[in-house]
Amino acid sequence: MDTLARLENVSKIFPRVHRPGERLRAFASILTGSEPSDGAKVLSDINLEVFRGQSLGIIGENGAGKSTLLKVLTGVIQPTAGKVTLNAKVAPLLELGAGFQPEFSGLDNVRMKAAILGLDWDELKHKLDDILAFADIGEYIHEPVKHYSSGMVVRLGFAVVTAANPELLITDEVLAVGDESFQKKCIRWMSGFLERGGTLLMVSHSMYHVQRLCHRAIWLHNGSVRRSGDVEQVTQDYLAWHEQRSVAEKKQRAAVSGNDGHYRVAAVDLEGAADQDAELPVIEDQLRAEVGLYSPDGRMPVCLVGIERADGTPIYGISSDTDHICGAQYGEHQFRFRVEFSVSRLLPGRYHFKVHAMDPEAIRVCDTHDLSFQVRGKSEEFGLVRLPYRWLTSEEDASD
Amino acid sequence: MIHFLPQRKNLVFFKNLLLRQIRQDYLENLTGFAWLIIQPLVLLAVYAFVFSKIFQARIPESGGVTFLPYLAVAFWPWAAFSESIIRASGSISGNSALIGKVAFAAELLPLASVSATFLMNAAGYLAVLVVLTLIGAPVHWLTLPLVIVLMLFWWLLAAAIALVVSTLQVFVKDVAQILPPMMTFWFFTTPIVYSAEVFPERISWLMNLNPAAWFVGWFRKLLLWGEWPSQWPILLVPVVIGIAFWLALRFFRRFAGHFEDFL
C-alpha cells in the first residue's frame, strides 16, 4: 500500500525551559545530541503509518499527546528520538490561525501561507479569487489579521488549504470553530476531498466525525499508542474505557463518603433480545428489563432507569419516585422493579440501558449499572430517534 | 545532511519574506520611501561636519582623497552589516506566530531579514557614491562589479553571523541586550573612522584577523583609488566565508526543530 507518512519509534521530551540555567542545559543537550536530562515526556515510542485513501483518526484524552504527535508528523517540531518520513503533499491545519501573523493583512498572510504550502505566484494568482470566495470575509481581507474574529481566521486558513490541493490533510479539531454555514462548507469540501482520493489525518474528540470520516484510528494514552486499527473497534474501546473510568470514579467517591453505597443495584436483566448469538443483545420493539435493588435498611430505594446513546448522551429516563411506583419486596433487603420501554423509535446503533439506585428520599444516586444493547436496521435518518413528521406539499405552503 | 540547493517553494517563500520585510521595515514608515535616500545623505552631511570641521580629522594616504569620501565609502557597508545582524537576531523570536505552527525552512527568516537590510542599504550606498562623485571625490565606478562581488561575500558573512545570533537569542534572551554594544565595539576596532595605519606595530597582525577590516580596506582601495586588492586574504574570502556560512547553517538547523520548545 502507498504510505504517505510514517513514524518509527518516535519520542518527544519537552525540556524544562523556565530558568536560564535550564535553558542553557537544554541548549547543550541539543548541541551534543543527547536526551534532555529532565523534562516532560509527551510521546514515547510511537509507530504509525498513514496509507493513501485510508484516513486516520487520532483520539485520546486531553493531554494524551495528540497535538504534539501532529506537530512532529508535520515537521513543525523535531522528535527527541525516532524517525519521521513524509511522502506526500501535506497541508496542515493545526490550530486556529495556523501560522498567521497578526500584524499583517489577511491578503499578506494568504500569500505567505500559500508559499509555505508550496503554491507559487502564478498558481496563487489563479486561485486567489477562489480562496477569497471560499473564505468569504469581504473587504476585511485588507485589514490586519489581529482585527479578525476567530471564525474569520479559521475560514481564511481553511480557504488557503483548499487551494493548496494537498494529498494529506492534517487537522486538529479545527472544524469546531466557524459558524454553521461555514462548517457545512468545510464538511462538503472535505467529502469532496475524500472522494477525489485525498487522505485525512485528524485529531478529534467527536467520535461521530472520526467514525464518519476515517477508516482507521489510533488511541493515544499518556503519550503512547494504546490501541490502533479499525475505526469502529478503536472508538468503541475508547468510549468503553471512558465509561469504566467514570464508573470507577463514582465507586471511589461512594467508598470515600461512606454513607452512600448502601442502596445498590443488585441485578439487571434484559428480556426480549431477538438474536441471542449477537455480541450485544439485539432489541427489536420492546425492551423489557427486570431490576433488582438492594436496600440495607429495608426501606424501598428509588429506581431510576433510562436509555442513553453509546457516547453517553441521555435520551430518555424515568424514576419510580415521580411515577409513584412501588417495587415488589423480596425478603428483607431486595426490591424488584419491572419496566418495559418501546424502543421502536430509536435509530439503529448502540445504546446503554442505565439503572440507578437512589436512596428512598430520591436525593442521592447511590449506585449505577448499565447494559449495552443494539438496535439493528438500516436508516437514512439522522439523530437519535424517529419523530413523527410529514413533508408539506407546495399547495399547502401556498395556502399558508 | 545539509541541502544547499533551495527548493522552489522555499524560493517563493523567501521572496515573500523579503518583500514583506522591506515593506515593514522601510516603506511603511510615515516618512516612506524617500527616507531611503535622504537618510544616508543627511547622515553623510553630519559626519562631514563632525569629523572634518570639529575633529579636523585627516588621513595619512593622499592622492586627492579627503576624509569625507574616505569615511563614507567604508561606513555604509559597515552600517548594512551591523544593522542587518542586529535586526536579524530577533527574527526567530519575533516570528513565533510562524515557528511552531507551520513547517518551513526557518533559516529563511534570518536570511530574509539580512537580505532586506542589505538591499535597502545598497540603495543608500549608491546614492552616497553619486553624491560623492558630484562633489568631486574620485569615485572609480569601473570597479563596481568587483565591489558587488565582494558585497555578496560581505552579505554572506552577515548571514552566517545572523544565523548564529538569532539561534542563540532563542535560548539566551540577553543576546538582544549584549549584541548592540558588541557591534559598537567591533565598529571601533575596525578602521572605519580612522586609518588602519594608526595601529601600533605590535597588534596590527591581530587587527588584520578582523574580516571587517579586510572588506573596509578593499572597498576603499577599489572605489577611491581604483586599485585592485593584492593582499592574500582576498583569495581566502570565498573559502573562509563559505565555510563559516556552512557551519552556521548546520548550527542553525541543529536547533531549528527545537525552537518551539523555547519560545
Side-chain angles (χ1 to χ4, degrees):
Chain A
M1 232 178 304
D2 196 359
T3 306
L4 298 181
R6 179 184 286 133
L7 294 188
E8 289 163 90
N9 306 318
V10 164
S11 300
K12 175 73 192 175
I13 300 174
F14 282 120
R16 282 180 213 230
V17 294
H18 293 299
R19 271 170 290 157
E22 291 171 340
R23 292 177 84 90
L24 280 178
R25 257 202 303 283
F27 177 78
S29 82
I30 299 171
L31 195 63
T32 57
S34 58
E35 280 199 6
S37 48
D38 59 350
K41 191 155 194 175
V42 187
L43 294 177
S44 49
D45 225 10
I46 305 277
N47 286 288
L48 73 82
E49 274 183 290
V50 185
F51 303 109
R52 186 182 299 279
Q54 291 218 352
S55 296
L56 179 69
I58 299 177
I59 57 178
E61 295 170 286
N62 290 329
K66 304 184 296 291
S67 301
T68 307
L69 180 65
L70 289 195
K71 282 187 172 181
V72 168
L73 188 80
T74 49
V76 170
I77 56 178
Q78 253 171 41
T80 313
K83 198 171 147 214
V84 182
T85 327
L86 269 185
N87 270 329
K89 200 171 158 194
V90 177
L93 202 55
L94 290 196
E95 46 195 285
L96 244 169
F100 282 162
Q101 289 169 290
E103 300 299 319
F104 296 99
S105 77
L107 197 58
D108 232 11
N109 272 301
V110 166
R111 288 217 179 89
M112 200 59 100
K113 188 79 191 293
I116 291 175
L117 290 177
L119 282 175
D120 60 31
W121 285 32
D122 287 343
E123 280 176 279
L124 180 63
K125 225 188 282 170
H126 282 125
K127 289 181 172 165
L128 193 56
D129 288 339
D130 291 346
I131 294 177
L132 298 187
F134 197 99
D136 192 22
I137 59 176
E139 282 304 303
Y140 271 101
I141 194 76
H142 300 293
E143 296 279 313
V145 164
K146 64 181 170 190
H147 294 158
Y148 285 22
S149 70
S150 54
M152 283 158 71
V153 173
V154 174
R155 260 142 68 183
L156 200 57
F158 198 87
V160 185
V161 165
T162 61
N165 198 18
E167 293 170 290
L168 178 61
L169 177 69
I170 301 183
T171 78
D172 188 354
E173 204 74 87
V174 179
L175 293 181
V177 210
D179 58 22
E180 199 68 14
S181 69
F182 187 76
Q183 276 192 24
K184 275 187 203 129
K185 216 184 221 178
C186 289
I187 295 275
R188 255 205 316 275
W189 182 84
M190 201 84 93
S191 312
F193 168 75
L194 294 176
E195 270 166 29
R196 288 193 300 274
T199 310
L200 181 68
L201 179 62
M202 70 186 283
V203 161
S204 182
H205 288 289
S206 152
M207 292 307 126
Y208 170 74
H209 276 138
V210 172
Q211 284 171 348
R212 208 180 129 194
L213 296 169
C214 300
H215 302 86
R216 297 190 312 131
I218 276 188
W219 169 13
L220 272 191
H221 185 68
N222 288 337
S224 40
V225 177
R226 174 115 171 202
R227 194 137 309 161
S228 75
D230 177 64
V231 67
E232 298 288 331
Q233 207 63 51
V234 176
T235 48
Q236 270 161 27
D237 286 351
Y238 175 65
L239 288 174
W241 174 82
H242 257 290
E243 202 87 345
Q244 271 170 17
R245 204 179 58 153
S246 55
V247 169
E249 268 171 15
K250 267 184 208 142
K251 282 216 176 105
Q252 222 169 12
R253 271 207 301 277
V256 171
S257 61
N259 207 3
D260 299 351
H262 285 300
Y263 301 93
R264 282 203 323 267
V265 178
V268 182
D269 283 314
L270 280 188
E271 301 161 25
D275 181 356
Q276 296 294 345
D277 298 332
E279 167 199 10
L280 283 179
V282 176
I283 305 293
E284 266 155 9
D285 296 324
Q286 303 295 325
L287 181 152
R288 193 173 301 160
E290 185 175 304
V291 176
L293 298 186
Y294 171 85
S295 161
D297 53 9
R299 294 193 298 150
M300 188 174 57
V302 169
C303 175
L304 200 64
V305 292
I307 292 172
E308 64 178 31
R309 200 167 66 176
D311 66 0
T313 309
I315 297 171
Y316 189 66
I318 51 170
S319 106
S320 64
D321 177 46
T322 49
D323 289 343
H324 309 295
I325 295 299
C326 293
Q329 188 165 10
Y330 285 84
E332 201 183 333
H333 296 295
Q334 301 278 349
F335 290 84
R336 193 175 69 185
F337 295 84
R338 284 164 62 81
V339 64
E340 186 181 271
F341 282 99
S342 162
V343 295
S344 54
R345 287 217 170 142
L346 290 178
L347 294 187
R350 286 164 169 258
Y351 297 91
H352 295 312
F353 178 66
K354 250 187 146 134
V355 179
H356 304 283
M358 296 179 81
D359 57 2
E361 291 75 30
I363 293 170
R364 260 197 303 263
V365 171
C366 302
D367 192 15
T368 298
H369 193 87
D370 57 31
L371 283 178
S372 302
F373 65 94
Q374 52 182 324
V375 175
R376 276 192 179 163
K378 269 218 159 300
S379 158
E380 301 278 293
E381 300 133 298
F382 308 98
L384 299 175
V385 296
R386 283 188 190 95
L387 298 177
Y389 73 97
R390 67 192 175 99
W391 292 102
L392 298 183
T393 57
S394 47
E395 293 89 54
E396 277 174 293
D397 268 354
S399 67
D400 275 348
Chain B
M1 217 17 244
I2 295 269
H3 304 280
F4 270 113
L5 277 182
Q7 290 167 284
R8 186 179 162 75
K9 90 172 193 188
N10 282 347
L11 281 179
V12 177
F13 183 57
F14 182 77
K15 208 158 127 193
N16 267 314
L17 276 177
L18 187 62
L19 290 178
R20 163 186 286 190
Q21 196 78 41
I22 289 174
R23 240 184 26 225
Q24 182 189 10
D25 292 348
Y26 298 95
L27 304 188
E28 270 173 8
N29 289 337
L30 269 180
T31 41
F33 190 76
W35 266 118
L36 216 55
I37 309 297
I38 297 170
Q39 194 200 13
L41 297 182
V42 171
L43 215 53
L44 186 64
V46 171
Y47 279 118
F49 178 71
V50 171
F51 283 102
S52 41
K53 297 289 178 243
I54 298 181
F55 288 134
Q56 307 274 317
R58 291 287 175 271
I59 48 166
E61 299 123 295
S62 54
V65 177
T66 57
F67 185 77
L68 179 63
Y70 186 80
L71 171 68
V73 160
F75 185 79
W76 259 266
W78 172 266
F81 185 75
S82 151
E83 192 190 326
S84 70
I85 290 172
I86 290 172
R87 272 184 199 264
S89 68
S91 59
I92 299 300
S93 33
N95 275 296
S96 49
L98 277 178
I99 304 265
K101 304 291 188 294
V102 281
F104 67 103
E107 63 260 24
L108 296 177
L109 291 173
L111 292 184
S113 171
V114 166
S115 308
T117 314
F118 258 77
L119 277 177
M120 290 299 103
N121 276 285
Y125 198 33
L126 271 181
V128 167
L129 290 180
V130 168
V131 170
L132 289 179
T133 312
L134 291 179
I135 62 173
V139 176
H140 293 262
W141 287 93
L142 281 179
T143 60
L144 201 58
L146 186 57
V147 169
I148 291 174
V149 171
L150 285 176
M151 203 59 99
L152 284 175
F153 283 105
W154 187 226
W155 163 81
L156 200 61
L157 181 63
I161 296 171
L163 284 173
V164 174
V165 292
S166 60
T167 305
L168 287 178
Q169 198 185 319
V170 173
F171 296 89
V172 188
K173 288 174 181 151
D174 316 68
V175 166
Q177 279 76 45
I178 299 167
L179 193 60
M182 278 178 63
M183 293 309 288
T184 309
F185 177 74
W186 196 351
F187 173 74
F188 283 112
T189 50
T190 303
I192 294 170
V193 290
Y194 56 86
S195 157
E197 280 149 44
V198 304
F199 288 141
E201 197 71 34
R202 277 182 302 118
I203 60 158
S204 66
W205 65 272
L206 185 67
M207 292 304 177
N208 279 336
L209 290 181
N210 175 6
W214 312 341
F215 279 98
V216 164
W218 293 327
F219 291 138
R220 277 182 180 146
K221 273 212 154 61
L222 283 166
L223 286 167
L224 297 179
W225 283 277
E227 284 174 24
W228 295 81
S230 55
Q231 296 114 308
W232 54 271
I234 198 151
L235 297 171
L236 279 179
V237 159
V239 179
V240 171
I241 293 183
I243 291 177
F245 184 78
W246 181 71
L247 287 175
L249 193 59
R250 279 196 56 163
F251 178 82
F252 185 91
R253 288 198 178 155
R254 174 133 218 166
F255 291 97
H258 299 275
F259 285 153
E260 201 233 358
D261 306 354
F262 296 88
L263 286 173

